[in-house]
């Protein structure tokens, strides 16, 4: 049988792993590499010109190698690579992994040692407990106890969350927002969130996915107990790993072509026929693997490839950061730490390793023989200004980088350690040659992919949908998740298994090692899956205070839950409890809020307790307009993947809007003691479009799949404010009808209408304070003040023939758009959205509000809108020049002057003039433009049924006729 030929582009860890696994299974493999040596970022990089006669050049590198205990794919590969060990015996590359003892964390205030393996030694246990205690109680780095307890709570929440919640909710939130860093202490932000994230994966906490951040952190913590949290190589990477690996593969028949890059992919129909190289060569094969760095794959992903592999279309959304090394070659051996050291206060996020402590062959054979120590340092933040040079690393010269890094390290050391390092003396220094200085500044040939919030959706699978082309690398979807050698190795195994399947091979599949988490927590994850599917928050969200006692209680609960495990889910479904979870949750939240605040969270006027006298049929009848609108919106969405979510969302949304109307009806039925109550009963009973309430409710579900009690209260509050403005507007406009009924001032008098509106505003703001959202209440005061100012400008500007479009847009921004923006912002806030999402929703709401008012202008003036339910032509009769009139004036100044001289008395004539000048259509176009800008504002918000419905609701709002 003909052997299958596989061509692999890239000789980094992914490419080498794929070649190794395929060659072992009898495939003919060729590896093409752009660099002169294999290994990618992991290879050793000798310092050119550093060797004396008969010596080897000093070993340089991109950055020191790090092998945590949760790495299982890489050690498995290493165990199958034969080599000669340091003592001359034969073994495998896995034997060249050396265990470190401790991780040292240094700040300018203190020093903490963490054991990398928890053995029976009382010293190790005491060291770990001491480290944790110091951080918890706030000594040393001054992290407040409550902040550390909050951090533990967040970690435990992630540990007990289902995969559905992790990917549906936490993947789309940054670690910075998930851990609520903005509202915590500076020490918490600096040491617990930023420093740990930076030194772990060279990523900013404000960018990194919370899911990735916590899941990898859990693995590192677990390593202390199950194996060793930190292993390193016992020599230069290429010498003790890459070179033996390549030699082994060459013995298996793998061919290596180095120094040429892939320039293009050549096609035969829908399959790949060959790869075109930079030297003009075209290499054919049966199967192809692009094991290239992210930036290299982006460069060759042309229109032909993207047309055939749409899953690569979002590669440009993936982000890279810089994490590069600098090595100090010392004249003396130093004993800073037997493991990695983290410099917590270093603005460039430095970590280091004293490499010679793990190299049994020593250093005499390198350079001129005088080097006795190597301090390998990784720089993980190239954008922050230094403490000494006062510039970011990207703006520094090589000499400035050397000096700044050296001084940042010395600033962290105790006097004795500082004296030892200074006495060792720096013989030479080497900066990763991937960093280049050009006339345009510093450039980096080897950036590092980082997991940003929401990036999972943009990352491709290894199988991109082309029959004989696959991708591998640390940026594809793997269980390892973050950009590491381990994830690159895992991705290659996934590719090889796919090729084995496609070619019908009977060879054993590559072994895959999923991440391990405590099995005792599995039942809690099952329960969380049920809650997430029901649109409910995590159980810990119901715990108002998190303390040491809470942790102990959770531990006991975990052990008890483990006794009946996943059967709990089946029981819940069989009894139908999953359908009643929202009811239980609502009661629990009210109880907890009462306990934590000592007062009722919602006042009587805003109660949503069902009244047995209020029938559901009546409510649905009165809200049929809203019901139909939402049904139309949902029906216009053709995304089948969202079908189930949309059905559930529609039911929840209609139910919440029913609650809003029911509240107003119950209020009207129970408060009939005096005149103002009559005004309120009439005005609140008349159900309108409820667009503001719908926006608030949808925005509250952008980051979660349930409607909270607070979200319903926000819907009621925003409709109350809207109702108040309508009461006042009808008085100012002297309108006779509103929603097909006599206006309140016509029925009860001007005074009653004014007082009723004021009372609604007062109760709405008071309700916000009572449910604990003081900031939203303060924002609402600003919105109300802006509405008053805009109304005042509008009053003073009536019959002002000098007004322009921008003046009018400014007025309706304050009068109408501000409340839409607040409704969206308030909904997103009570829905637990991050700051970026809250801002995005506010911008969306503002544009929607502007569009809404522009359509109102059309409805008031258009000749074909008769049954509007309110007095028509009120703007004309009061002398208000709305947007269509202002546009038409620009197009026909003479016609405008004629109509104005007659005081716009003939409304039909004005309507005909507007149609003739296409002003109404131009106004509708401007409304559509505003909606488009609102939709653009929502682009950063994660994709969800709530987001889609929110967008469609906005679009539907400008298609309305009343």
């Amino acid at each position: 049988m003909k052997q299958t030929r596989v061509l692999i582009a890239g000789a980094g860890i992914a490419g080498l792993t794929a070649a190794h696994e395929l060659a072992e299974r009898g495939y003919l493999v060729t590896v093409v590499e752009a660099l002169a040596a294999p290994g990618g970022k992991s290879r050793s990089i000798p310092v050119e010109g550093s060797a004396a006669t008969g010596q080897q050049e000093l070993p340089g590198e991109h950055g020191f190698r790090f092998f945590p205990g949760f790495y299982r794919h890489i050690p498995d590969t290493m165990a199958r690579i034969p080599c000669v060990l340091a003592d001359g015996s034969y073994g495998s590359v896995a034997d060249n992994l050396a265990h470190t003892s401790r991780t040292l964390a240094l700040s300018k205030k203190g020093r903490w040692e963490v054991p990398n393996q928890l053995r029976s030694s009382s010293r190790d246990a005491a060291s770990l407990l001491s480290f944790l205690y110091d951080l918890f109680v706030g000594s040393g780095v001054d992290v407040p106890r409550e902040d550390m307890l909050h951090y533990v709570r967040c970690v435990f929440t992630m540990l007990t969350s289902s995969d559905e919640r992790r990917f549906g909710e936490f993947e789309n939130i940054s670690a910075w927002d998930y851990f609520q860093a903005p509202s915590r202490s500076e020490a918490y932000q600096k040491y617990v969130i930023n420093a740990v994230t930076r030194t772990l994966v060279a990523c900013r906490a404000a960018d990194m996915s919370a899911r990735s951040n916590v899941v990898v952190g859990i693995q590192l913590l677990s390593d202390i107990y199950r194996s060793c949290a930190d292993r390193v190589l016992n020599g230069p990477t290429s010498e003790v790993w890459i070179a033996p690996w390549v030699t082994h593969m060459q013995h298996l028949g793998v061919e290596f072509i180095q120094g040429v890059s892939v320039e293009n992919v050549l096609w035969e129909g829908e399959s790949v026929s060959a790869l075109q190289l930079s030297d003009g060569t075209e290499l054919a094969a049966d199967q192809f693997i692009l094991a290239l760095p992210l930036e290299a794959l982006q460069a060759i992903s042309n229109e032909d490839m993207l047309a055939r592999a749409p899953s690569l279309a979002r590669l440009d959304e993936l982000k890279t950061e810089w994490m590069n090394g600098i090595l100090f070659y010392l004249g003396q051996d130093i004993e800073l730490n037997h493991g990695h050291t983290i410099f917590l206060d270093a603005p460039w996020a430095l970590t280091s390793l004293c490499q010679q402590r793990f190299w049994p062959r020593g250093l005499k054979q390198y350079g001129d023989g005088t080097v006795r120590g190597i301090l390998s340092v990784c720089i993980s933040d190239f954008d922050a200004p230094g403490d000494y040079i006062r510039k970011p690393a990207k703006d520094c010269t090589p000499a400035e980088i050397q000096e700044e890094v050296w001084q940042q390290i010395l600033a962290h050391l105790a006097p004795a350690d500082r004296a030892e390092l200074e006495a060792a003396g720096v013989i030479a220094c080497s900066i990763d040659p991937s960093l280049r200085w050009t006339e345009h500044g510093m450039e980096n040939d080897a950036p590092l992919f980082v997991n940003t919030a929401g990036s999972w959706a943009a990352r491709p699978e290894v199988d991109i949908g082309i029959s004989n082309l696959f991708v591998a690398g640390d940026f594809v979807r793997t269980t390892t998740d973050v950009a590491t050698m381990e994830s690159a190795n895992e991705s290659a195994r996934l590719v090889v298994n796919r090729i084995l399947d496609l070619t019908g091979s009977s060879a054993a599949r590559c072994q895959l090692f999923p991440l391990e988490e405590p099995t005792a927590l599995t039942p809690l994850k099952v329960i969380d899956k049920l809650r997430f599917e029901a649109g409910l928050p995590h159980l810990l969200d119901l715990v108002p205070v998190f303390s040491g006692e809470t942790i102990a209680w959770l531990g006991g609960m975990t052990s008890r839950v483990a006794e009946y495990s996943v059967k709990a889910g089946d029981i819940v479904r069989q009894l139908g409890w999953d359908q009643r979870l929202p009811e239980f949750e609502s009661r629990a939240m009210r109880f907890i809020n009462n306990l934590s605040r000592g007062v009722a969270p919602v006042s009587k006027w805003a109660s949503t307790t069902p009244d047995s006298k209020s029938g559901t049929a009546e409510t649905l009848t009165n809200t049929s307009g809203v019901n139909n609108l939402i049904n139309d919106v949902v029906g216009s969405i053709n995304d089948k993947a969202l079908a189930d979510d949309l059905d559930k969302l529609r039911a929840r949304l209609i139910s919440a809007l029913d609650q809003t109307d029911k509240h107003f009806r119950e209020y009207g039925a129970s408060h009939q003691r005096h005149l103002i109550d009559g005004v309120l009963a009439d005005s609140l009973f008349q159900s309108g479009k409820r667009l503001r309430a719908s926006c608030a409710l949808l925005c509250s579900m952008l980051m979660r799949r349930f409607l909270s009690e607070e979200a319903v209260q926000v819907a009621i509050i925003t409709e109350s404010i809207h109702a108040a403005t309508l009461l006042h507007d009808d008085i100012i406009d002297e309108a006779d009808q509103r929603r097909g009924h006599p206006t309140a001032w016509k029925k009860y008098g001007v005074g009653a209408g004014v007082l009723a509106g004021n009372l609604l505003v007062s109760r709405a703001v008071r309700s916000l304070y009572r449910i604990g959202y003081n900031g939203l209440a303060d924002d609402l005061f600003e919105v109300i003040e802006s509405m008053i100012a805009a109304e005042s400008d509008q009053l003073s500007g009536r019959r002002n023939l000098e007004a322009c479009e921008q003046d009018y847009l400014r007025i309706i921004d304050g009068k109408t758009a501000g409340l839409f923006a607040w409704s969206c912002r308030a909904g997103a806030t009570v829905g637990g959205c991050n700051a970026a999402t809250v801002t995005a929703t506010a911008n969306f709401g503002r544009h929607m509000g502007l569009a809404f008012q522009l359509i109102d202008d059309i409805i008031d003036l258009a000749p074909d809108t008769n049954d509007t339910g309110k007095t028509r032509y009120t703007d004309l009769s009061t002398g208000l020049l709305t947007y269509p009139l202002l546009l038409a004036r620009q197009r026909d100044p003479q016609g405008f002057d004629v109509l104005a001289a007659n005081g716009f008395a003939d409304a039909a004539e004005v309507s005909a003039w507007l149609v003739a000048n296409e002003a109404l259509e131009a106004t509708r176009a401007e409304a559509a433009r505003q909606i488009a800008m609102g939709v653009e504002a929502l682009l950063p918000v994660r994709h969800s049924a709530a987001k889609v419905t929110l967008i469609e609701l906005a679009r539907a709002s400008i298609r309305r006729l009343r």
Side-chain angles (χ1 to χ4, degrees), residues 354 461 750 849 876:
C354 296
E461 303 280 358
V750 172
L876 281 180

Side-chain angles (χ1 to χ4, degrees), residues 468-657:
N468 65 339
L469 180 65
F470 305 89
V471 295
D474 56 14
F475 57 88
V476 304
R477 294 180 179 179
T478 63
T479 58
T480 307
D481 196 38
V482 294
T484 59
M485 300 180 293
E486 177 76 353
S487 58
N489 186 292
E490 181 187 353
S491 73
R493 291 170 182 242
L494 292 169
V495 171
V496 171
N497 285 347
R498 184 69 180 127
I499 291 176
L500 294 176
D501 292 340
L502 289 173
T503 57
S505 174
S506 60
R509 272 38 181 177
C510 301
Q511 189 173 3
L512 296 170
F513 303 93
L515 296 179
E516 295 179 351
E517 294 183 12
T519 56
L521 299 179
T522 300
L524 292 179
K525 294 180 182 178
V526 173
I527 292 173
D528 185 64
K529 181 176 185 294
L530 287 174
R531 293 180 62 80
F532 183 77
E533 289 174 347
L536 298 174
H538 192 279
L539 274 171
L540 282 184
D541 288 347
L542 303 180
V543 180
V545 179
F546 199 79
S547 63
E549 292 75 12
T550 309
I551 298 173
W553 176 79
L554 287 170
M557 183 181 68
T558 300
S559 63
R560 291 193 296 274
V561 169
E563 295 174 5
Y564 56 86
S565 191
V566 296
K567 293 183 180 179
D570 295 332
I571 295 172
V572 167
R573 288 192 181 93
Q574 288 171 10
L575 296 177
W577 288 353
D578 53 328
Q579 302 301 318
R580 299 182 63 194
L581 281 173
E583 173 192 342
F584 297 151
E585 171 123 323
S586 178
R587 293 179 181 177
M589 286 304 295
R590 282 198 293 269
F591 177 71
I592 290 169
N593 282 333
N594 287 340
L595 286 179
S596 59
R597 281 197 292 272
V599 296
V602 183
S603 60
K604 182 179 179 181
W605 84 277
S607 171
T608 56
T609 304
D611 187 340
S612 59
K613 296 180 181 178
S614 290
T616 303
E618 178 193 2
T619 302
L620 288 175
T621 299
N622 282 293
T623 59
S624 59
V626 180
N627 197 352
N628 291 337
L629 176 60
I630 298 300
N631 284 335
D632 290 344
V633 168
V634 174
S636 69
I637 299 170
N638 298 317
D639 188 344
K640 292 182 179 179
L642 289 175
D644 290 342
D645 276 353
L646 286 169
D647 282 341
K648 294 175 183 176
L649 183 146
R650 170 169 44 191
R652 294 179 189 128
L653 193 59
I654 295 299
S655 174
L657 291 170

Side-chain angles (χ1 to χ4, degrees), residues 118-381:
L118 196 59
R119 307 180 187 91
S120 58
S121 165
S122 60
R123 182 176 180 274
D124 284 328
S127 177
L128 177 61
L129 293 173
S130 175
F131 171 79
L132 296 175
Y133 176 80
D134 283 345
L135 260 61
F136 270 57
V137 301
S139 64
V141 292
D142 297 327
V143 179
R145 177 184 176 86
E146 59 271 20
D147 286 354
M148 283 310 304
L149 285 171
H150 172 73
Y151 182 78
V152 173
R153 176 189 189 137
C154 292
V155 170
F156 197 85
T157 298
M158 186 72 74
L159 263 172
T160 53
S161 292
S162 61
D163 285 341
E164 288 77 9
R165 190 181 299 279
R166 289 183 181 183
F167 282 94
E169 188 172 335
F170 300 143
E171 162 64 20
N172 303 295
I173 304 173
S174 71
W176 184 256
D177 289 325
Y178 175 73
F179 288 115
Q180 296 181 2
S183 62
R184 300 283 164 177
S185 65
E186 182 180 353
Y188 175 82
Q189 296 173 353
K190 183 175 184 180
Y191 298 121
V192 181
I193 308 302
N194 270 335
V196 173
T197 303
R198 261 306 196 185
T199 53
L200 176 66
V201 288
C203 184
R204 293 178 176 87
D207 298 329
M208 188 179 188
S209 157
R211 178 187 64 81
S212 299
N213 183 290
V214 181
V215 168
V216 174
I218 289 168
Q219 293 301 312
L220 290 172
L221 183 63
S222 300
D223 284 344
I224 297 174
Y225 297 94
R226 63 189 175 202
S227 55
C228 179
D230 187 1
R231 294 167 293 181
V232 297
L233 289 168
N234 65 0
T237 307
S238 290
E239 289 184 32
V240 301
W241 179 18
I242 304 300
W245 200 5
V246 171
T247 299
H248 176 59
M249 283 189 278
Q250 287 173 331
H251 289 159
L252 293 173
V254 177
E255 178 187 7
F256 286 87
I257 301 174
Q258 296 173 176
V260 290
S261 60
V262 175
E263 294 290 315
N264 197 14
V265 178
L266 305 180
W267 303 90
E268 184 175 335
E270 294 302 310
S271 301
V272 177
S273 61
L275 296 183
Q276 185 177 54
L277 306 184
S278 56
D279 62 1
T281 304
E282 295 180 4
L283 293 181
D286 301 307
Q287 301 289 334
F288 299 84
I289 303 173
L290 298 179
L292 300 169
L294 173 60
E295 65 275 10
L297 181 60
Q298 290 170 331
I300 67 168
S301 296
N302 54 27
E303 292 183 3
D304 284 344
M305 186 185 298
L306 295 180
R308 293 173 170 86
S311 62
L312 298 180
R314 300 182 64 182
L315 284 179
D316 288 342
E317 297 177 30
L318 301 181
K319 185 177 180 180
T320 58
E321 289 283 355
W322 292 12
M323 186 177 187
N324 300 73
I326 176 173
L327 293 95
F328 296 93
Y329 301 96
L330 308 176
Q332 298 294 330
D333 185 7
I334 60 172
E335 298 182 4
L336 183 60
N337 181 44
H338 194 271
H340 289 92
T341 301
I342 303 171
F343 300 93
L344 295 173
D345 286 324
W348 288 2
L350 306 180
T351 48
S352 74
L353 178 71
C354 296
Q355 291 182 325
Q356 78 289 343
R357 305 204 70 190
F358 306 95
W359 291 8
R361 291 186 178 94
L363 300 171
K364 290 183 179 181
Q365 69 270 37
Y366 300 107
D368 61 4
T370 61
V371 173
R372 295 291 182 271
I374 300 179
L375 181 64
S376 179
V377 183
C378 274
I379 305 171
S380 297
D381 192 334

